[in-house]
Amino acid sequence: MNAPVDFKAIEGMFQRQYSQIEVRFDPEEAVAWTYMKPTGAPCFNFGMLEELRAHDSTIESNGGRVMYKGELHQIHYYVGGSRIDGIFSLGGNLAWVVPLIKSRDRDTLMRYAKLCVDNMYLRICNYNSPMITISLVQGKALGGGFETALSSNVIIAERRSRMGLPEILFNLFPGMGAYSLLARRVGIKLAEEMIFSGRIYTAAELHEMGVVDVLVEDGTGEAAVYDYIGRNERRRNGMQAMFNCRRHLNPISYDELLNITNIWVDAALRLEDKDLKLMSRLGRSQIKRAQVNVAAEMPEEMRYATA
């Protein structure tokens, strides 16, 4: 049964101007686009996470329907991307997280982590609507950025993209869904190898592994999304149902994600000074990445984490 529609809530939903996300609706293909454009470092901050939560919660609560120019539309595809050239997301804002760890502020760390999980879980559940979710990766997706890409049914990535989980380099692990999502795509053994290595993979490597679904040439990402939709539109209903079956066959529960997040917070609070110094250095590089390419100027371990 369809959820009741809150017409007031969805009227003009895709005309709203946000500070750190950009949204638009394509009525011809029934595609909802959401682009991340965080202020400061190209990472997840409270403001952007709250904007994502407000926008996506409205989609979810109304069964994936939107009022557009006076007509009610069912969203068929939700596409998540980035407006930062060459960067999908560098994940958690380490320069902001380190002081919280040093001050033993578990409550704020947990609030931040929970907000990440809340956003991830809606995507994992397809917003409890008959739609297909797509992550469009056109650059680096590290840590939480890679986790976010993994939360969609389909990952479309340009060749220039690099994805990975570097958290182990500063003695932590990706705690907002990477293990759960990767293990269901490639198996527990390979998921653990990827997390323990801290390695950054090319889009081509991930495509060969089955993590990236569609590999496309640089600069063609948005066109590739429409090509994917066009090629599969006649079987969209069956595909959406199959993705839903996949979710029920090997479900990821909200409690699973939240329990892992608690483990992450506890592990973060156990980090030592040497770990926090490395986190701080990487946090500074996250900020610089938004302005210039500084990889050549960074020490070897930092180049490995952000290459």
Side-chain angles (χ1 to χ4, degrees):
M1 181 180 296
N2 287 335
V5 179
D6 184 344
F7 289 98
K8 184 177 180 180
I10 64 175
E11 185 69 52
M13 184 169 62
F14 283 88
Q15 281 72 50
R16 178 177 173 181
Q17 297 298 309
Y18 294 94
S19 298
Q20 299 192 65
I21 65 172
E22 178 185 322
V23 300
R24 64 183 173 91
F25 180 68
D26 174 0
E28 291 187 12
E29 304 293 346
V31 184
W33 292 83
T34 299
Y35 300 93
M36 299 178 287
K37 51 174 191 176
T39 57
C43 304
F44 293 104
N45 59 61
F46 266 120
M48 189 179 76
L49 288 168
E50 287 169 347
E51 287 187 355
L52 284 168
R53 177 70 169 153
H55 178 72
D56 289 356
S57 292
T58 303
I59 291 176
E60 189 270 341
S61 64
N62 287 284
R65 287 164 289 177
V66 58
M67 184 67 71
Y68 186 83
K69 293 186 177 180
E71 295 184 3
L72 191 63
H73 296 260
Q74 180 73 51
I75 298 170
H76 292 163
Y77 302 90
Y78 181 114
V79 183
S82 169
R83 281 301 191 203
I84 301 175
D85 185 43
I87 297 176
F88 180 76
S89 173
L90 300 185
N93 191 327
L94 301 182
W96 178 80
V97 169
V98 169
L100 293 178
I101 296 173
K102 288 183 175 179
S103 65
R104 317 296 295 172
D105 190 348
R106 192 185 197 284
D107 289 344
T108 303
L109 278 173
M110 192 63 214
R111 185 162 62 91
Y112 175 68
K114 183 178 181 299
L115 191 53
C116 291
V117 165
D118 288 344
N119 279 294
M120 292 275 290
Y121 192 62
L122 277 182
R123 180 78 64 85
I124 290 169
C125 293
N126 294 78
Y127 303 97
N128 293 306
S129 307
M131 68 173 73
I132 293 171
T133 55
I134 300 172
S135 291
L136 173 59
V137 182
Q138 298 171 291
K140 293 179 175 63
L142 305 180
F146 190 20
E147 288 175 309
T148 298
L150 288 166
S151 66
S152 292
N153 299 136
V154 178
I155 300 177
I156 297 175
E158 295 184 357
R159 285 190 180 275
R160 61 174 169 167
S161 301
R162 301 290 184 271
M163 293 173 247
L165 303 162
E167 288 88 343
I168 199 69
L169 300 180
F170 46 83
N171 206 13
L172 203 54
F173 78 101
M176 285 72 169
Y179 194 8
S180 300
L181 292 161
L182 264 181
R184 286 162 171 82
R185 277 184 178 256
V186 299
I188 290 175
K189 187 176 186 298
L190 183 53
E192 290 186 352
E193 288 178 3
M194 294 174 71
I195 293 170
F196 286 144
S197 72
R199 183 185 166 195
I200 308 303
Y201 296 83
T202 67
E205 288 175 318
L206 292 171
H207 183 249
E208 186 175 346
M209 295 162 61
V211 176
V212 166
D213 299 287
V214 182
L215 180 66
V216 300
E217 298 305 316
D218 296 345
T220 67
E222 289 198 7
V225 169
Y226 282 110
D227 179 66
Y228 177 87
I229 290 171
R231 285 186 290 108
N232 292 291
E233 180 57 24
R234 290 188 62 184
R235 56 178 186 168
R236 171 182 49 79
N237 183 64
M239 288 178 63
Q240 191 279 329
M242 285 300 297
F243 287 135
N244 198 20
C245 288
R246 179 198 293 176
R247 181 164 62 89
H248 286 287
L249 176 67
N250 209 348
I252 297 176
S253 71
Y254 182 76
D255 285 344
E256 175 183 335
L257 296 178
L258 204 58
N259 289 337
I260 291 173
T261 293
N262 270 287
I263 295 171
W264 178 84
V265 172
D266 290 339
L269 292 174
R270 293 196 302 269
L271 292 177
E272 301 177 358
D273 286 343
K274 66 180 186 337
D275 305 318
L276 295 176
K277 287 179 181 178
L278 191 55
M279 282 184 74
S280 295
R281 293 167 70 187
L282 185 53
R284 289 192 293 272
S285 79
Q286 288 178 327
I287 296 172
K288 292 178 182 177
R289 296 298 290 225
Q291 303 165 347
V292 293
N293 186 349
V294 297
E297 304 172 8
M298 297 166 64
E300 184 177 354
E301 69 271 20
M302 292 293 97
R303 292 201 300 271
Y304 181 62
T306 61

